[in-house]
Amino acid sequence: MGWLRAHDPGLAATRKAGRTALVMPALFALCSQVFHSPAMASFAAFGSFSMLLLVEFTGRMVQRLRAHLGLGVAWVVLICLGTLAAKLTWLAVLATVAVGFMVLFAGVVSSVLAGSATALLLAFVLPVTSPVPLSQLPDRLAGAGLAAAAAMLAISLLWPRPAADPLSAPAARVCRAAAEQLRTEADRLDRGPGAPDAKHCHAAAGRVATAAADLRRTFDATPYRPTGLSSTSRALVRLVDELTWLTGILADKASYTDDVPACDPAARAVRRAAAELLDRAADLLGDLHGDGGRLQAACAELRADMDGMERSSTTRLPVDRPVNGAGPSDGVGPSVGASGDVANGPSADGAATAVYGFLATLDLSFRAQELGFAVLQIASNVDLASAAERRSWPERLLGREPGALTEPLAAARERAAAHLQPHSVWLHNSLRGAVGLGIAVTLADLTSAQHSFWVLLGTLSVLRSNALNTGQNAARAVLGTVIGSVIGAGLLQLIGHHGTVLWFLLPVAVLIAGIAPAAISFTAGQAAFTVTLVVLFNIGQNPDWHIVLLRLQDIALGCGVSVLVALFFWPRGADAAVDRALADAYTDSARYLVGAVEYAVGCCTAGPMPAAAAPLQEGRDAAASARRLDDAFRSYLAERGSKPLPLASMTTLVTGVVGLRLAADAVVSLWREPGDARTEVERTDARLEILGTATRVTDWYRDLATGLDHATAVPAPVLPDPASAARLVESVRHDLTGADGQGTATAVRIIWTGDHVDAARRLQPTLARAAAARPGARLSR
């Protein structure tokens, strides 16, 4: 059992295989031995096989039952269409291409349809490759109906799948631990009686680190298969990296000492509001079907406190408690504090001491703002997951996004229309699969294959997302078929005329066929599946090992068709598509960040020039790229077969786009109401320093995009530049304090803008490691 758990995390494949091993042989026996209907037996066996082993719907039990009921209705419709089209070869080919394309392309609309594609195709392949008189149609429908009814009973009674996502509970624990640390920090910064000491703060930080490590371990061990990629699951997958991002921010200043720095009261209020929001997020993660009203109210409160902190920071100069005459230790501050040139030079006078005291306290406010943005993003994702979970079944089926203003059908049409474009990989894959099935039907008829269904089954079993993987899987499929055929022939030779033994072998073969692909390998799964079919088609007749050679010939023909069509139509699949989408998203988000910084420095330009325009178009382009990335990511996750990059690394790259866009959003928000930002003095040095830093940081992201899209070397992260940070502070130093001892909005916003740019820089090492994990990738030196 330990080996099985290690190779099948969560025993997901074992659960499905166990159900199928019980239900499929029982239905086959009932229909063949009691009702004496071979047609009913075949459709009941393959129907239960597809509905129990090829799909696994998510959500509450009632939602799963509705989804299985819908799948059963779809089987009835497709069986009717396939039976009618099978009469004429040309009609069968055209119908196969049309139905194959519609079924495969429909997956772009929703994860429910994407996860059901193979099961739906099987419902059409079975009848269209087996022409029979219409008088047998009722038996076929009866078999499919029995399979659907048995599947609904099995998923509700036989080892039901847990309703809660395995990530929800550990994510909630991280939220609560982070909330506790934020409250502890706020109480410590109050410096009142009974305030927590450094030991308590370290303990709280340790609990956050432990909870985050537990979440990452759970995430790495959680299987995400095509049928489990609901909107809720995708939101929770992204939530893992967002929480990791939050814990990184919290750990960035966790070196607590007994010397408690002065802090703006508004910054303490932001920490407490963020803690309250994290608690509300944890509550909703515990019950995703609960009311999100309290979470949304807490979001509004945090935003209000962040606005208040910004106003407070730009009108107050807290020089009452300088921090040892040195600079702070985060953002721009740490770079300055590490710069001996500035600390030993200009900072020696009293004004500079006041400046660094101001920066130390300003740093605490910036960190509160950075934490606030991160917590708001986490809360938004939790709210999205909850809203997705509360959707009705028709909305799930049509892929309506939570909170969308359009009707479900309109949303489905928009999503489908967005992929009816020449560059759409989903369109290419759908066309390739449909034409591949059509060619297989044609070849099966032209070559007079004894059982053309096996040709189609071979095509379906290895049709993958790109030519390279298809070629590998085709070879492995043929190898698995050969091994399975040899084993099957040996079993038939041993059994001889004792055909009853096959009934005992059938459930064992089904069980192994269900577990082997996940726990052992694709080849082992194909071999076990071949043995299962050999056993199934020899039950009730004299076992004949010669039939195995015919099956091998037909399946090999189907594998060859899939390789040919994949090479001809589209040599790259969802893996390449998500790389391209990542490249576009990072390029557009980097352009947005540069535009935000240019907007920021333009707001403090002297003279009669009009105020700089906000980078609205760049923001829209970045948001559109992020949506395309989400579609490509879902296509990548829905793709069957092995992935070249671990899910954790790919999710890190996808979530990094969010962090880069948030940095740009934060800068734009900071300068949207410039107040007294436009000054009479041209701050050329400040502009040059901050634009230079932003250019270096965003150039790295553009190089990363090039590396992802063209499989070139991953650039080394940009290192901190203490001298540049020091020059930035010096360039605005005379503007930090006025005659009345107060700071100006311009100074605060310039420093915070630099901090947001540095936050984008601090993302780079994590992203570089994730990108370097790609096969053949390397990190530039």
Side-chain angles (χ1 to χ4, degrees), residues 450-741:
Q450 191 175 25
H451 293 285
S452 57
F453 162 71
W454 288 76
V455 176
L456 270 292
L457 197 61
T459 304
L460 280 175
S461 67
V462 298
L463 200 56
R464 291 295 192 254
S465 67
N466 57 62
L468 179 61
N469 279 351
T470 303
Q472 291 174 344
N473 286 335
R476 290 157 59 195
V478 172
L479 176 61
T481 301
V482 170
I483 295 173
S485 299
V486 171
I487 295 174
L491 287 174
L492 296 179
Q493 186 69 24
L494 288 174
I495 291 170
H497 296 290
H498 303 286
T500 306
V501 178
L502 294 176
W503 284 105
F504 296 97
L505 290 178
L506 181 59
V508 177
V510 172
L511 182 65
I512 297 175
I515 296 176
I520 305 176
S521 68
F522 175 81
T523 301
Q526 190 70 11
F529 182 54
T530 303
V531 172
T532 299
L533 296 179
V534 168
V535 171
L536 185 67
F537 280 94
N538 279 278
I539 285 179
Q541 52 187 291
N542 290 329
D544 183 5
W545 63 270
H546 292 89
I547 196 173
V548 173
L549 298 179
L550 295 175
R551 299 296 180 261
L552 177 60
Q553 168 191 318
D554 297 337
I555 290 180
L557 181 59
C559 294
V561 168
S562 69
V563 174
L564 175 65
V565 174
L567 285 168
F568 178 74
F569 268 90
W570 192 243
R572 305 174 77 190
D575 177 47
V578 79
D579 283 347
R580 246 188 336 272
L582 277 168
D584 291 344
Y586 276 117
T587 299
D588 289 341
S589 298
R591 186 182 301 115
Y592 179 32
L593 180 57
V594 167
V597 174
E598 290 175 347
Y599 166 63
V601 298
C603 286
C604 59
T605 299
M609 296 176 58
L616 300 180
Q617 185 58 49
E618 290 87 341
R620 286 192 289 267
D621 291 344
S625 295
R627 287 193 295 270
R628 290 194 296 270
L629 173 59
D630 187 65
D631 284 340
F633 187 42
R634 183 176 65 167
S635 174
Y636 173 83
L637 292 173
E639 194 175 74
R640 294 184 181 274
S642 59
K643 302 289 192 296
L645 187 67
L647 179 59
S649 297
M650 181 60 77
T651 306
T652 296
L653 291 171
V654 172
T655 308
V657 173
V658 177
L660 188 57
R661 283 180 57 220
L662 277 179
D665 285 340
V667 172
V668 172
S669 175
L670 191 63
W671 292 87
R672 185 160 283 142
E673 297 179 1
D676 67 341
R678 291 178 62 80
T679 63
E680 297 180 358
V681 181
E682 178 73 27
R683 314 245 179 254
T684 304
D685 292 340
R687 294 180 61 193
L688 291 177
E689 288 297 339
I690 200 166
L691 282 173
T693 301
T695 299
R696 287 192 297 274
V697 170
T698 54
D699 281 349
W700 183 90
Y701 282 102
R702 293 190 180 96
D703 291 342
L704 173 66
T706 301
L708 291 171
D709 195 20
H710 297 94
T712 55
V714 179
V718 175
L719 297 176
D721 187 353
S724 175
R727 288 193 300 269
L728 175 60
V729 172
E730 283 301 297
S731 67
V732 296
R733 179 176 163 229
H734 62 282
D735 204 32
L736 290 176
T737 56
D740 57 356

Side-chain angles (χ1 to χ4, degrees), residues 757-773:
V757 172
D758 195 63
R761 182 196 61 78
R762 294 199 304 270
L763 286 172
Q764 293 175 359
T766 301
L767 298 177
R769 286 192 296 271

Side-chain angles (χ1 to χ4, degrees), residues 81-328:
L81 292 175
T83 302
L84 293 173
K87 294 293 185 180
L88 300 172
T89 300
W90 66 268
L91 182 59
V93 172
L94 290 179
T96 300
V97 172
V99 171
F101 175 78
M102 287 188 291
V103 168
L104 292 171
F105 189 73
V108 77
V109 173
S110 75
S111 57
V112 174
L113 294 174
S116 306
T118 305
L120 292 172
L121 288 175
L122 188 58
F124 186 79
V125 165
L126 275 169
V128 82
T129 54
S130 307
V132 296
L134 287 180
S135 58
Q136 291 192 24
L137 180 58
D139 285 352
R140 291 181 166 188
L141 296 178
L146 279 175
M152 294 174 69
L153 289 173
I155 64 167
S156 57
L157 300 177
L158 299 178
W159 197 356
R161 182 181 184 272
D165 191 283
L167 295 177
S168 296
R173 287 194 291 270
V174 176
C175 289
R176 295 200 188 280
E180 180 190 359
Q181 181 178 352
L182 285 172
R183 288 195 180 93
T184 303
E185 284 187 357
D187 292 343
R188 177 173 177 267
L189 292 171
D190 272 338
R191 296 192 294 181
D197 57 17
K199 181 179 179 181
H200 285 88
C201 292
H202 281 297
R207 286 189 287 272
V208 173
T210 300
D214 290 342
L215 173 62
R216 178 58 66 174
R217 279 193 295 271
T218 302
F219 174 69
D220 291 340
T222 299
Y224 279 92
R225 293 180 170 80
T227 52
L229 300 174
S230 63
S231 295
T232 303
S233 295
R234 294 200 309 276
L236 292 176
V237 164
R238 290 192 296 267
L239 182 63
V240 174
D241 261 2
E242 289 169 355
L243 286 170
T244 303
W245 176 27
L246 173 64
T247 55
I249 297 173
L250 288 170
D252 200 38
K253 284 268 302 235
S255 55
Y256 305 103
T257 65
D258 292 331
D259 187 14
V260 182
C263 180
D264 186 349
R268 298 196 294 270
V270 167
R271 282 172 167 79
R272 291 193 172 97
E276 180 66 20
L277 182 53
L278 285 171
D279 278 337
R280 298 291 75 77
D283 292 342
L284 200 54
L285 283 170
D287 180 16
L288 288 173
H289 297 279
D291 183 12
R294 296 180 65 193
L295 179 76
Q296 293 160 8
C299 282
E301 182 178 349
L302 175 56
R303 289 191 180 96
D305 285 337
M306 290 173 65
D307 291 341
M309 181 186 66
E310 181 181 325
R311 290 191 297 270
S312 173
S313 296
T314 57
T315 58
R316 175 176 177 270
L317 179 62
V319 296
D320 56 319
R321 195 167 187 271
V323 184
N324 298 326

Side-chain angles (χ1 to χ4, degrees), residues 63 66-68 70-71 112 391-398:
Q63 293 169 334
R66 287 173 182 168
H68 272 280
L71 181 60
V112 174
R391 290 178 301 172
S392 65
W393 182 74
E395 290 176 327
R396 288 170 176 262
L397 181 65
L398 295 173

